Structure formats: C-alpha cells, structure tokens
Amino acid sequence: MSAVDDDFLALPLQAAADAALTVARAAGASHADVRVHRLRTWTSTLRDGALQAAVDDTDCGVAVRVLLDGTWGFASHPVPGPDGAADAAARAVAVARTLRALNRDPVRWADEPVHRDAVWVSPYEIDPFTVPAAERIAVLEDYSRRLQDATGVDHVGAHVTLVKEQSFYADLAGSTITQQRVRIHPDLEATRVDRAAGTFESLRTLAPPTGRGWEYLASDRWWDWSSELAELPEQLAEKAQAPSVTAGRTDLVIDPTNLWLTIHESVGHATEYDRAIGYEAAYAGTSFATPDLLGSLRYGSAAMHVTADRTEPHGLATVGYDDDGVAAQSWDLVRDGVLVGYQLDRAFAPKLGVARSNGCAYADSAHHVPIQRMANVSLQPDPTVDRSTADLIAGVDDGLYVVGDRSWSIDMQRHNFQFTGQRFYRIRGGRLAGQVRDVAYQASTTEFWGALEAVGGASTWRLGGAMNCGKAQPGQVAAVSHGCPSVLVRGVNVLNTVQEGGR
C-alpha cells in the first residue's frame, strides 16, 4: 500500500479546515464541510509513432459547503490555505443566506458516523508520476512500432491518460479524511486504408482504464499487451474483408469488453436516484426506473444480479470515503431481475426514506460542488456454474459474438438504446465462423435484460469502464468501472449500420 504524497500532506490542510469551519460554525450552519482537492492529469498522444502532444496539468484549491436553514451555500478558492478557506466559507454563507428565501425544498442531511484521522490510498505499485516523461512516451513509441511494422496497418494512434487525485475532507461533526488514488487509461488504434474504395477500418486495443499505476502499461503482467498487439493486425485484416451483417432478430453472446458500456448506460445511469426523481432532467435526462417501481419493476430475467460497489479493488469509482464523508460500501441495485436499490448521497437518501447514504457523492474539482455520481456498477457472474464464453457460444445455433465497445446512443430516460462494437463474429452451430461488420444491436432496457438467458461464470468476469462519464451543470467528469461476465441474450434486434445510414 502506497502512502499519501508528502507534498500534499505538507499543505496547510487542517489549518484551512479550522479556518473555514470556524466561519461556518459562527454563522449557525447545521452542517459544513471543507475539501482540499488536488488533481494532476498527464496525457500523451502519438500518431504513427511521432509525439503529437504531452500535457501535464494540475488543478488545486479548497471548497467549502455550508447548510443554513436547509439551504446550501458553496464557494471555493484557488489557494488551499487558511485565508483562502475562510474567504470561501464567508462567501458560501452569503450564498446560503441569499438563496434561503427561494428554497421551497429544505435539504435533509442523512447521518453518518464520524471518521477521525481516516486515510485511504488506492492500490497501485508504481506511481506513474514518478516515471520520467521520456520513459512514458518511449513505451507508447515501442507499442506503436509493433503495430506499424505489421502488414496491412497504415496508421497507428497511441494515447495514455494518467491521473493522481488527492483530497482532504473535514466537517463540523469531526470527520477528517485524507485520500489518494491513481488511475490510468492507455489505448492504441490501428487503421487500414482501402485507397481504391476510399474506405478504412480500424481496431483499438481492449485494455480498459483501471485503478492501477504505471505497472499496468509497462509490462504484460496485468494486461497482455504483447499478445494483443501481435493479434490486432490480423483481426483488422479479417474485419476489412468481412461481409456485411444481415439485419434481424439475432441471438447474441456479448463479451465483457462490450457489455460494460451497456450496463453503464442502461443500468448505471438509470439507477442514479437524482435522475429517477427528475432532479437531473435538464442536462442528462431522467430515468424510467422511478421510485414507485422500487421492489416491483422487472428490470430483467432472474439471471440478472447487478451491484453497486465503491470498494471494488482497482475500480475507477473506488474510494475509501465519498465527498460527503461517507464510508465506501457495496449494495444491490437489481436482484433476481427486480429493481431493489438506487445510488444515493447524503441529501438524496432521506428523500427515498433511507437512513444512511450509500456513498455516491463526488466532485471532480475543488471548484465544483459534490453531486451524486455513479459507483462501480457491475453484473455478477453465475455463482453456481463457471460457464465459459465458449460454453455460451456453444448454446447458439445462429447468432453473433460481440467484442469491444464503440459508438452508442440511448434516450433521455435510459430506456431505448443502440450499441455497436469493435468486432462481431458469426456463430453457426455453436462455433465461431468468421467476422461480419456493420453491426449494431438495438433494444429497450427491459426488453434486452429480460432476454438475458445466461451469464458466464467467474472466469469470464472482467472489469471495464470509462474515465470520462459526464454529468451536471456546470459539467463534471467522473471515472467509473463496470464488471461483468460474458452473457447470452436471445432474439435481440440487429441492425445493418450501412443500410441504416442509407449507403
């Protein structure tokens, strides 16, 4: 287990908290919290092995929230010291007093045990920010060269995003929490150009973003980069020559590298409680899974068991404590195919009649207020049979096997959707029979998950995810993981994207 960086601990964290909380207490706040937040991000992009951009950015500051007579006030300051924190607290108090007359829905704040002197650091081996920039770029150059040297690859793109996030939280109740987490997202893309036809095809690596350090990219220990880079050109060549799919109702075996995104859009966002009650409607839409359906909505088949988890090792949304000072937890969202839970923060928990938040508050900057954000939302594998992906394929006489994510769309209630992928293989008589292309699958959320016939076992379960889940106004970005096994879904509507596009 790594330790919180000394240069972050050297900031006047407690002094800033004391200064802000003193102002809030004197104003009569029923709750106040202070958050010193520092986010360092490094991105690097290469095209055909040549460096195009390398950006090293740090965002830092102190945020103060106060709750006066059931009304929020929030302000921040770019200097995380006592003077900046006191100034932010005074402005937050002024905001709350100004808005109090307009507030028709006073905030009720769920209780949480006090967490004194708590420290949490995500599990990683090599802090990527201790690796020289030239060494980071050299790895991408090496991986790019491997693809460039392969026959049939005309262009190669490479990209990596590294993030280190640190925070110090303190509130009037006495909690003081210091945290540090690291995450990484590398990807490479190979492109094949057919100049005669004026078309191209491309494939990306399938390695998901993860809550690990530089060790994830620098070797084959946690992801087999060598094998994937060696296989990608041949897969791309096959895709370029593959026939176009025949549209119609089709049985699908879906790999975790594709299914994670379907879970994110159709389950993860749909079970955010602020969406379910219409609070998030203006920007990102609401949810068909409304609270009156809790405990009765048939979300999917009995094989569907979805959990939310803030404790999953190496999950992108994994923390020790959220930005409301709530300890990380795991809980059910869908059990035996029925909606049984939501994702909550301390302000929304009382609205659902729940005594305690399940820890879903997060702000991506000191200069943004914490909002309800997604936990690691995951479909659980079959607990009784370790069914392999090959076993699922063997149960399909005529269908498709879907690998990798690509484009998607979903309506504002998270109900009607369409997803594509990177590779699609025809299944004939329980065996793979070559790639097809121009594929999208389309369904409503309950129709799709209701057609879930079988889930793979633990050996097929994999953690996918995204670094850039967007929400709120002003917009915020959060990283979140989604674990899932391979699955078999019967009779899904498959579209031919070329025909749909009128080409």
Side-chain angles (χ1 to χ4, degrees):
M1 179 70 72
S2 301
V4 179
D5 291 354
D6 289 340
D7 65 341
F8 182 74
L9 297 176
L11 296 174
L13 304 173
Q14 190 62 58
D18 291 344
L21 294 176
T22 296
V23 173
R25 188 179 293 108
S30 59
H31 170 83
D33 58 59
V34 182
R35 178 172 45 89
V36 177
H37 185 275
R38 186 168 75 177
L39 186 74
R40 185 177 178 187
T41 304
W42 191 85
T43 61
S44 180
T45 302
L46 282 70
R47 177 169 171 79
D48 295 336
L51 181 65
Q52 300 293 297
V55 179
D56 194 340
D57 179 71
T58 299
D59 178 270
C60 189
V62 58
V64 181
R65 286 191 302 179
V66 300
L67 192 56
L68 282 171
D69 298 329
T71 304
W72 281 119
F74 172 81
S76 67
H77 196 283
V79 180
D83 293 342
D87 173 75
R91 287 185 286 116
V93 168
V95 169
R97 286 174 173 164
T98 300
L99 295 179
R100 184 166 48 191
L102 303 176
N103 188 2
R104 298 294 181 266
D105 185 18
V107 174
R108 290 180 293 155
W109 195 239
D111 290 335
E112 173 68 16
V114 172
H115 306 286
R116 299 186 191 276
D117 301 322
V119 178
W120 181 86
V121 179
S122 67
Y124 58 91
E125 296 174 12
I126 303 173
D127 181 344
F129 293 94
T130 65
V131 179
E135 185 175 329
R136 303 175 206 166
I137 294 168
V139 173
L140 293 180
E141 290 173 336
D142 173 43
Y143 289 179
S144 296
R145 193 176 303 112
R146 298 188 201 184
L147 288 174
Q148 285 178 282
D149 289 345
T151 302
V153 174
D154 294 297
H155 296 289
V156 175
H159 182 85
V160 66
T161 298
L162 310 172
V163 179
K164 181 190 288 183
E165 186 169 23
Q166 298 157 320
S167 66
F168 173 79
Y169 171 96
D171 61 28
L172 281 178
S175 288
T176 51
I177 301 165
T178 308
Q179 300 188 91
Q180 177 170 297
R181 55 180 177 150
V182 165
R183 50 191 180 268
I184 178 172
H185 186 194
D187 70 86
L188 290 97
E189 184 172 50
T191 301
R192 180 187 179 102
V193 179
D194 185 338
R195 290 175 174 80
T199 61
F200 68 92
E201 289 287 352
S202 63
L203 282 180
R204 294 195 318 270
T205 50
L206 300 177
T210 183
R212 294 187 185 272
W214 186 247
E215 67 277 1
Y216 183 63
L217 182 59
S219 74
D220 291 339
R221 182 180 173 194
W222 300 112
W223 186 264
D224 191 352
W225 293 99
S226 295
S227 294
E228 183 168 30
L229 294 173
E231 294 165 0
L232 200 63
E234 183 177 340
Q235 294 165 347
L236 177 58
E238 182 183 358
K239 180 181 181 182
Q241 301 300 318
S244 195
V245 72
T246 300
R249 291 280 172 179
T250 307
D251 295 342
L252 301 180
V253 174
I254 306 179
D255 193 78
T257 55
N258 180 273
L259 189 66
W260 75 265
L261 184 56
T262 308
I263 293 168
H264 176 88
E265 299 296 344
S266 69
V267 185
H269 280 309
T271 56
E272 292 173 313
Y273 188 68
D274 58 346
R275 291 179 186 270
I277 62 173
Y279 188 88
E280 177 66 12
Y283 176 66
T286 58
S287 171
F288 75 95
T290 51
D292 58 305
L293 301 175
L294 185 65
S296 63
L297 174 65
R298 173 57 65 178
Y299 216 107
S301 74
M304 185 184 188
H305 178 203
V306 178
T307 62
D309 193 346
R310 296 282 265 169
T311 68
E312 176 65 42
H314 308 293
L316 294 171
T318 298
V319 293
Y321 306 84
D322 78 345
D323 284 349
D324 284 345
V326 176
Q329 302 158 49
S330 61
W331 65 99
D332 286 343
L333 295 173
V334 178
R335 186 173 57 243
D336 299 325
V338 177
L339 176 69
V340 295
Y342 287 103
Q343 302 167 73
L344 303 163
D345 63 15
R346 289 179 75 175
F348 283 110
K351 292 180 181 295
L352 187 60
V354 175
R356 187 183 176 207
S357 164
N358 47 37
C360 290
Y362 173 70
D364 67 356
S365 165
H367 310 297
H368 286 158
V369 68
I371 59 172
Q372 186 184 300
R373 294 311 308 259
M374 201 183 300
N376 302 304
V377 174
S378 300
L379 177 69
Q380 296 305 303
D382 191 320
T384 61
V385 180
D386 193 7
R387 192 181 290 110
S388 69
T389 303
D391 292 335
L392 296 174
I393 291 170
V396 176
D397 183 59
D398 186 357
L400 294 173
Y401 173 47
V402 185
V403 179
D405 66 273
R406 191 148 257 177
S407 65
W408 56 273
S409 68
I410 192 165
D411 70 15
M412 296 295 279
Q413 288 195 309
R414 302 286 148 178
H415 196 238
N416 298 294
F417 63 67
Q418 178 177 307
F419 290 88
T420 64
Q422 291 217 61
R423 286 181 276 133
F424 298 86
Y425 294 87
R426 181 185 288 113
I427 303 173
R428 292 290 183 267
R431 296 176 179 273
L432 297 184
Q435 289 191 51
V436 294
R437 58 179 177 175
D438 310 323
V439 181
Y441 62 90
Q442 179 189 61
S444 71
T445 293
T446 50
E447 174 192 16
F448 176 84
W449 291 109
L452 176 68
E453 179 173 293
V455 297
S459 63
T460 73
W461 196 89
R462 180 180 291 170
L463 200 62
M467 298 270 272
N468 60 344
C469 177
K471 191 177 178 181
Q473 292 173 298
Q476 296 194 37
V477 172
V480 59
S481 292
H482 303 284
C484 53
S486 297
V487 300
L488 169 57
V489 188
R490 297 287 190 184
V492 180
N493 189 35
V494 165
L495 305 176
N496 182 300
T497 57
V498 172
Q499 295 172 358
E500 291 292 322
R503 290 177 283 143

